[in-house]
Structure formats: structure tokens, C-alpha cells
Amino acid sequence: MKIVIVGASGTMGQYLANVLERENHEVVRASRSSEEIQVDTTSTKSIEEMFAKIGPFDALITTAGETFVGPWKNLNDQTFKKGIEGKMMGQINLVLIGQQYINPKGSFTLITGALTHEPQINFANASAANGAVESFVKAAAIELPNGIRINAVSPAVIENSPHYFPYFPGEIPTTMKQLEFGFKKSLFGAVTGHIIKP
Amino acid sequence: MKIVIVGASGTMGQYLANVLERENHEVVRASRSSEEIQVDTTSTKSIEEMFAKIGPFDALITTAGETFVGPWKNLNDQTFKKGIEGKMMGQINLVLIGQQYINPKGSFTLITGALTHEPQINFANASAANGAVESFVKAAAIELPNGIRINAVSPAVIENSPHYFPYFPGEIPTTMKQLEFGFKKSLFGAVTGHIIKP
């Protein structure tokens, strides 16, 4: 299977890329700093160029997308844009543009997170971006043609990112193995419109 | 109670304004076409001006915010902005700016809708906006100071908007009375961070 991973240089993307490559999939590693395929998901032009370079593919995974993290008093129309352009529209545009390039019966798997339903102080922008992506996934699932599927994986704080633990009191970290299985359920299963909590 | 209703000229806003006025609340009717208080919620400047005019208040209800409704093939980064600037950031900015003007123990009540979880063809932009607002409400509830509460009311298709029925097959319409009770639960109850399904 030809699998595009956007965010391939991050903690999750790197892990998933390595796992899927070991299992003999053709993995295309895309990220802002990638030497293979460079992409800035906040730019539709950059996304277009990425897909034009990659050509047809079977699945796209995204683990990318920034949000504003910081004190509530600093949250305003301007700082909110970070999550809208990053985690929200970055991922949504990968689908809206990528649908022109993906093979029939292909799949998109986006990333959200527990913050959709379990807020934490400093992360309201991420909560909103996650909520938007999750509801978009449910809506896109009934619109995408040619048997193309779409799901989101919604992990808790990630085992391999311990620097985040203090900001997520009481949250049981999602292990890398759980994360991998979450993405595999979307990639190799048959569901669409699901929010997979690994 | 001094209650600001943004979207007061719409089907829901007008109904709620009349009900609350009959029950002797001081209702401030704001909308894009209002003669009382004109506001364009896609502009932070217009929101700022509205609050400066109104002064301190006890509760804000919003039933306003446009989204892109139309064929999936017309959904792209540009058309998506309608829901981001309208139903999503329009409402979020009412809170982020309005928190400077609202009285202690005041409340914000936003509007979402069944599309968050029950998508319908043509409404992916609204689904995403709803999802963003609902997760924002949960996050804002743990951030807002001075006992200020925030909730969302999430109705199905509205009884008094029968022209929408064909687009919402199988959806049992929310009656105006149910809608009223949903908003009253937020206005006069004690919950915060709740998505109220009336």
C-alpha cells in the first residue's frame, strides 16, 4: 500500500512511518522539514504541490498541525488562527485537495485528541480544532466518492512525549503501540466516519 | 436579568427574545439588521463596538452564525471560511471579547446543532463549525473566571424552519418550546461546559 504520512518527522509520524515501512508498505514521508517531500499544511499551494509530486496513493495519515498553547488571557481572534490554519484547516485541506489524487477505496486518517472532550488549561484552541476535525470527519465520510474512507485517531497524551505530562493531569498516556493499532484500524479496516480512541 | 441576544432577528433569536421579555427580563436585541444594536459577528471590531454600547450584562445568547451550505464538490479552503468566520469564530469571539463586559456569575449560551454528530449531505462546513464550538465551550468552561458559565444548545432542525426539513431526512424537529427550555437550562441553571440537547 502506498501510504503518505504528513508530519513524518514528528514523534508520532516517525514511529508510524517506521512501523509501516518494516511491514513493506511504500511510505512517503512528508513534513515541514522533510528532505523527501516538504510541505507546509497551512498553505493550500504547498499541499497542491505535495500531491502533484507524490501522484496517486492509497492512504494518507496526518499527525501534523499546530495549535496555540498558552494562558486563556492570551487567547483571541489572532492567536486562535494558529489552530484554525494548523490542526484544523491543515488537515481538512489535505482531504479536500487530496481527494483529487487518492485511489478509489483509499483512506484518510486524521489526528485529533482527548482534548475534544476532556479539556485542559491552556489548550482551548486545540480543543476547538479537534472538535472541528472530528465533526468534519463524520460529515466527509458521507460525502467522499469512490469508496474513499475517512477516520480520525484521537489519542490521549502520547507516551513518547513526557514533556507534555504535566499539562495533562490524570490522563493515562496512550502508548505508541496503541497509537499504531488505532491508525491500523483506520488504514486496514473498513470503517469510515469513526473517531478511533486507541 | 439583562440578556443580550445576538441573532435577535432570526427565527430562534426572535422567539427567545419575545419569551424572555414577556418574563420581564431586560432583553438587548442585537443582529446584523437590528435597529437597536447592529452587529456583524464576523468582525471583532463590530463585536467590540456592540459590547461598548451595551455595557455590563448578565447573560449572552447567540443564535447567529452563517456556514457554507452546498455540494461537497464546492467545499474548499475558501468556501470553508464562511463557517469559520461565521458560526465558529463569530460565536467564539463573542465570548473572548464579551468576557471583558459580562458581570460575575454571568453566562454565555452558544448555538450548535445535531450536525456535530449527525451529518447530512451539503452541511460538512456546519458540522465542523459546530464541533469546534462544542469543544471550545467545554474548554472555556474551565478557563472563564468569576463564576462565569458557558454552554451550548444543540437543537435538531427547528420546528419553525420547515424549509430545512427536506435537507434533514429522519430528523425529528426540535420544537420552539424545547429550544426555549434548552436555553433556559443554561441561562437560569448552574451547569457549565454542557452541550444541551433540548
Side-chain angles (χ1 to χ4, degrees), chain A residues 72 77 93 99 117 122 143, chain B residues 72 77 93 99 122 143:
Chain A
W72 173 256
D77 187 59
N93 281 327
Q99 65 180 333
H117 300 289
N122 296 312
E143 297 271 15
Chain B
W72 172 255
D77 188 58
N93 281 327
Q99 65 179 331
N122 295 313
E143 297 272 14

Side-chain angles (χ1 to χ4, degrees), chain A residues 117-140:
Chain A
H117 300 289
E118 295 289 343
Q120 297 281 5
I121 295 293
N122 296 312
F123 288 90
N125 187 226
S127 287
N130 283 354
V133 171
E134 292 192 5
S135 292
F136 172 78
V137 160
K138 291 172 196 170

